[in-house]
């Protein structure tokens, strides 16, 4: 269970922090100096990076590696000062992505392509040379053969000469297996990724089939209820055996058995009980019926004080019972709206052809969610969103830390109402909810709170699904130390180059 935060403080806005703004400006100046130094030394930042800094090809360098590299290239300035100015986030490490994003993208794309194309360094040289095993030239690769080989095998990233010169770290005009030891590590990662991808795809296929079957079972059950009871309102009341306006698991299973429904009750319940709480509300079974009952309850309270008193006022002949025509006409005389035969059938769920005082008592004890009788308020919804951004730096933070605290990707009314209280929102909470929950589904998603934020996550999920099979599988691949979590530093290291390479087109879209 998530820990309760007793007090919510707005996070500091670093963009408005003068010291932070100055640090960013200073960082940009330091990066310009470093880029100039590297290009003067070796013609490009990528070549200098691979020749003098990132000896183990792990895509980042420590403070000590930076200092040693700057000494090797003969830098006459103050490398310590340069490093500290660039390392604004105090990670004590730098990446090629930070120094030259364009070069990092080319380098990472090349490494990913090689890990998919070749089994090992020997295979890479052999294929690029277009030679067979045993050929004397198979362990040495010249520039011309390298460039032509890449084009022949379908490399479309360009910069072939630049990449060759970066790999030829000691200017031998040739590449050997020793220059490609990074491929062994990348290949193992690729194989691990492919294995996890296959496992994730199999699981995803099963989940997709189950989701499709759940939807089919729910549609089948609703069709069955309409046919059996003529009114979904009556069907809901028949399921709710104790008048609580909630249906428990055993109630649903018992009803399905007694009514001889031939569907899969287990999957049906899984579709209704999304939070695995063991109960589901009437509004989750049929939102329109719940709304009709809620509005009738509200009108009873407004006009006569309660549903029981309303019944007594309508029972002018004092017979203790009301038939459909008398009930509907009596309600209309008193100005009730949305009172029809479907509502009467819901109240007369035992099919007595009349209702009694006892048949409406449940409305007086029902703690009806206020949103069922509220009118949508787009203005209040905007105010609620503004309240979120006064406390959280983004809608995503607000969604994860305040609204969707259980990570279900759906927020129910109770969660929304609780969130409003926690941020001391004083507006029309129910009206805001109805604005977000336009289809009266009983839940809202991040997409309904802020579509652009949802789109960023959707793009990330699309990338993870296509590359790894699922977000969970992507996590397993990127979690190199198998710790089960990421620090911000580890996340940047794992995704900085790879994610920017693969996701940039989707973000732009």
């Amino acid at each position: 269970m998530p820990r309760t935060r007793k007090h919510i403080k707005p996070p500091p806005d670093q963009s408005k922090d003068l010291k932070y703004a100055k640090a960013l400006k200073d960082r940009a100046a330091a990066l310009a100096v470093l880029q100039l130094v590297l290009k003067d030394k070796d013609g490009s930042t990528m070549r200098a990076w691979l020749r003098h800094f990132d000896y183990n090809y792990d895509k980042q360098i420590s403070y000590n590696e930076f200092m040693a590299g700057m000494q090797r290239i003969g830098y006459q300035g103050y490398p310590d000062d340069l490093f500290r100015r660039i390392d604004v986030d105090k990670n004590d490490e730098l990446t090629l992505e930070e120094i030259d994003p364009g070069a990092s993208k080319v380098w990472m794309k090349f490494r990913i392509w090689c890990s998919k194309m070749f089994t090992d360094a020997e295979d890479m040289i052999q294929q690029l040379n277009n030679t067979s095993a045993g050929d004397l030239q198979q362990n040495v690769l010249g520039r011309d053969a390298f460039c032509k080989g890449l084009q022949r095998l379908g490399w479309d990233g360009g910069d072939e000469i630049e990449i060759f010169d970066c790999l030829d770290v000691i200017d031998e005009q040739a590449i050997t297996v020793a220059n490609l030891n990074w491929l062994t590590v990348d290949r193992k990662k690729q194989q691990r990724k492919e294995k996890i991808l296959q496992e994730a795809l199999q699981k995803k296929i099963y989940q997709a089939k189950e989701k499709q079957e759940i939807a089919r079972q729910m549609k089948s059950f609703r069709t069955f209820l309409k046919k059996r009871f003529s009114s979904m309102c009556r069907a809901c009341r028949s399921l709710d055996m104790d008048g609580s306006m909630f249906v428990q698991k055993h109630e649903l299973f018992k009803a399905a058995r007694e009514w001889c429904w031939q569907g899969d009750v287990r999957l049906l319940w899984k579709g209704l009980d999304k939070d695995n709480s063991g109960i589901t509300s009437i509004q989750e079974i049929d939102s329109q019926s719940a709304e009709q009952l809620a509005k009738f309850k509200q009108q009873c309270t407004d006009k006569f004080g309660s549903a029981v008193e309303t019944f007594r006022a309508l029972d002018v002949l004092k017979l203790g019972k009301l038939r459909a025509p008398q009930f509907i006409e009596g309600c209309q005389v008193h100005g009730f709206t949305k009172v029809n035969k479907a509502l009467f059938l819901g109240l007369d769920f035992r099919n007595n052809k009349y209702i009694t005082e006892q048949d409406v008592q449940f409305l007086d004890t029902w703690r009806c969610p206020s949103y069922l009788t509220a009118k949508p308020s787009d203005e209040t919804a905007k105010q609620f969103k503004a309240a979120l951004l006064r406390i959280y730096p983004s809608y995503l933070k607000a969604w994860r830390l305040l609204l969707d605290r259980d990570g279900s990707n759906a927020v129910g009314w109770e969660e929304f109402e609780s969130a409003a209280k926690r941020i001391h929102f004083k507006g029309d909470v129910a009206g805001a909810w109805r604005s977000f929950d336009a289809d009266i589904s009983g839940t809202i998603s991040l997409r309904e709170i802020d579509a652009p934020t949802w789109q960023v996550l959707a793009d990330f999920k699309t990338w993870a699904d296509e590359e790894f099979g699922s977000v969970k599988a992507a996590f397993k691949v990127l979690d190199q130390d198998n710790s089960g979590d990421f620090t911000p530093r580890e996340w940047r290291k794992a995704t900085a180059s790879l994610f920017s390479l693969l996701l940039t087109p989707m973000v732009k879209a």
Side-chain angles (χ1 to χ4, degrees), residues 293-302 363-366 368:
L293 287 168
K295 289 185 175 179
F296 178 68
K297 169 184 167 69
Q298 182 185 46
Q299 292 177 96
C300 289
T301 303
D302 291 346
L363 290 171
D364 291 333
T365 58
W366 178 27
C368 170

Side-chain angles (χ1 to χ4, degrees), residues 138-203:
Q138 68 173 345
N139 292 321
V140 180
L141 184 62
R143 176 185 289 179
D144 188 58
F146 178 84
C147 295
K148 290 181 179 179
L150 287 180
Q151 294 172 3
R152 186 182 70 255
L153 294 176
W155 165 253
D156 61 0
D159 295 299
E160 293 88 351
I161 295 176
E162 167 80 359
I163 295 170
F164 179 89
D165 289 343
C166 291
L167 294 174
D168 181 21
V169 293
I170 55 177
D171 290 323
E172 291 185 325
Q173 299 302 307
I175 294 174
T176 66
V177 171
N179 302 119
L180 304 173
N181 52 20
W182 48 269
L183 181 56
T184 302
V185 176
D186 287 1
R187 181 61 184 167
K188 287 181 179 179
K189 290 180 180 178
Q190 178 64 23
Q191 289 174 329
R192 181 169 179 259
K193 171 188 162 183
E194 289 172 355
K195 180 181 178 182
I196 293 175
L197 175 60
Q198 289 303 315
E199 292 173 351
L201 287 176
Q202 291 177 3
K203 185 176 181 180

Side-chain angles (χ1 to χ4, degrees), residues 272-417:
L272 292 172
D273 183 24
K274 296 181 178 66
D275 59 0
N276 200 30
S277 63
I279 61 172
T280 189
S281 65
I282 290 298
Q283 51 265 34
E284 288 179 277
I285 296 173
D286 189 65
S287 59
Q288 292 182 345
S289 296
E291 184 178 13
Q292 186 176 31
L293 287 168
K295 289 185 175 179
F296 178 68
K297 169 184 167 69
Q298 182 185 46
Q299 292 177 96
C300 289
T301 303
D302 291 346
K303 295 180 182 298
F304 296 102
S306 69
V308 168
E309 290 302 321
T310 299
F311 178 88
R312 291 171 181 171
L314 296 177
D315 184 21
V316 292
L317 299 178
K318 307 303 179 186
L319 298 176
K321 62 178 69 174
L322 293 171
R323 297 190 180 275
Q326 184 183 0
F327 170 75
I328 295 172
E329 290 172 10
C331 286
Q332 291 173 345
V333 167
H334 290 285
F336 281 64
T337 60
K338 293 190 176 182
V339 175
N340 52 26
K341 187 174 181 181
L343 175 63
F344 179 83
L345 292 176
L347 298 174
D348 178 29
F349 71 99
R350 296 184 182 85
N351 198 23
N352 291 324
K353 310 299 184 186
Y354 60 83
I355 60 172
T356 66
E357 187 175 299
Q358 287 72 31
D359 291 321
V360 299
Q361 280 181 345
F362 77 96
L363 290 171
D364 291 333
T365 58
W366 178 27
R367 296 180 62 183
C368 170
S370 58
Y371 76 86
L372 285 174
T373 56
K375 294 181 179 180
S377 174
D378 295 341
E379 182 59 33
T380 311
K382 291 179 182 178
Q383 294 170 4
F384 181 80
K385 291 174 65 173
L388 293 179
L389 293 184
R390 283 195 293 270
I391 295 175
Y392 297 95
S394 68
Y395 290 120
L396 181 55
K397 276 284 188 182
W399 177 260
R400 295 289 291 122
L401 297 180
L402 177 70
L403 292 163
D404 185 27
R405 291 163 64 84
D406 61 1
S408 64
N409 294 316
V411 171
W413 163 248
E414 291 78 8
E415 292 173 299
F416 185 82
E417 188 178 33

Side-chain angles (χ1 to χ4, degrees), residues 25-91:
K25 186 176 180 180
D26 198 34
R27 178 180 184 272
L31 276 174
V33 171
L34 180 59
Q35 290 169 358
L36 183 61
V37 169
L38 297 182
K39 288 177 181 177
D40 284 347
K41 177 63 179 178
D42 288 284
S44 77
T45 53
M46 183 164 67
R47 193 176 190 196
W49 171 268
L50 296 174
R51 283 187 167 203
H52 307 293
F53 296 91
D54 189 14
Y55 278 0
N56 56 2
Y57 299 104
D58 65 352
K59 295 171 285 188
Q60 82 271 336
I61 57 173
S62 65
Y63 169 80
N64 290 335
E65 288 175 312
F66 177 82
M67 296 296 288
M70 295 301 280
Q71 185 177 9
R72 277 190 291 271
I73 65 176
Y75 180 60
Q76 298 300 311
Y78 299 95
D80 176 79
D81 177 66
L82 205 59
F83 184 92
R84 299 304 177 193
R85 289 163 63 194
I86 296 173
D87 185 30
V88 172
D89 54 6
K90 309 302 180 186
N91 279 338

Side-chain angles (χ1 to χ4, degrees), residues 93-264:
E93 67 179 25
L94 298 178
T95 66
L96 181 59
E97 169 79 12
E98 293 176 285
I99 296 171
D100 189 339
S104 175
K105 185 172 181 177
V106 172
W107 176 232
M108 283 308 303
K109 182 172 183 177
F110 177 73
R111 287 181 63 165
I112 292 170
W113 182 80
C114 289
S115 68
K116 294 179 179 180
M117 181 65 64
F118 310 114
T119 58
D120 53 35
E122 289 83 357
D123 180 54
M124 178 176 174
I125 292 177
Q126 182 179 320
Q127 288 202 51
L128 291 175
N129 269 325
N130 200 21
T131 58
S132 57
D135 193 298
L136 293 176
Q137 297 297 317
Q138 68 173 345
N139 292 321
V140 180
L141 184 62
R143 176 185 289 179
D144 188 58
F146 178 84
C147 295
K148 290 181 179 179
L150 287 180
Q151 294 172 3
R152 186 182 70 255
L153 294 176
W155 165 253
D156 61 0
D159 295 299
E160 293 88 351
I161 295 176
E162 167 80 359
I163 295 170
F164 179 89
D165 289 343
C166 291
L167 294 174
D168 181 21
V169 293
I170 55 177
D171 290 323
E172 291 185 325
Q173 299 302 307
I175 294 174
T176 66
V177 171
N179 302 119
L180 304 173
N181 52 20
W182 48 269
L183 181 56
T184 302
V185 176
D186 287 1
R187 181 61 184 167
K188 287 181 179 179
K189 290 180 180 178
Q190 178 64 23
Q191 289 174 329
R192 181 169 179 259
K193 171 188 162 183
E194 289 172 355
K195 180 181 178 182
I196 293 175
L197 175 60
Q198 289 303 315
E199 292 173 351
L201 287 176
Q202 291 177 3
K203 185 176 181 180
K204 194 172 181 180
I205 290 171
Y206 171 79
Q207 290 174 336
K209 287 182 178 178
E210 184 182 61
K211 185 177 180 179
Q212 186 178 26
E213 186 58 25
I214 286 173
R216 194 178 73 84
Q217 294 297 330
M218 291 182 69
K219 182 178 180 180
S220 169
F221 187 64
R222 289 192 173 105
T223 301
F224 173 84
L225 292 179
K226 288 179 182 178
K227 184 176 180 180
R228 180 181 178 89
F229 294 100
S230 302
S231 159
M232 281 301 295
C233 192
R234 171 177 279 184
C236 290
R237 292 283 291 116
S238 299
L239 283 168
D240 176 27
M241 298 177 183
D242 58 3
S244 64
M245 297 301 283
F246 287 94
V247 176
Q248 299 184 43
K249 185 176 181 179
H250 75 271
E251 289 180 310
L252 181 72
F253 276 61
K254 181 180 179 181
R257 184 173 61 253
E258 291 179 351
W259 298 340
C260 300
W261 182 60
Q262 300 300 312
D264 188 329

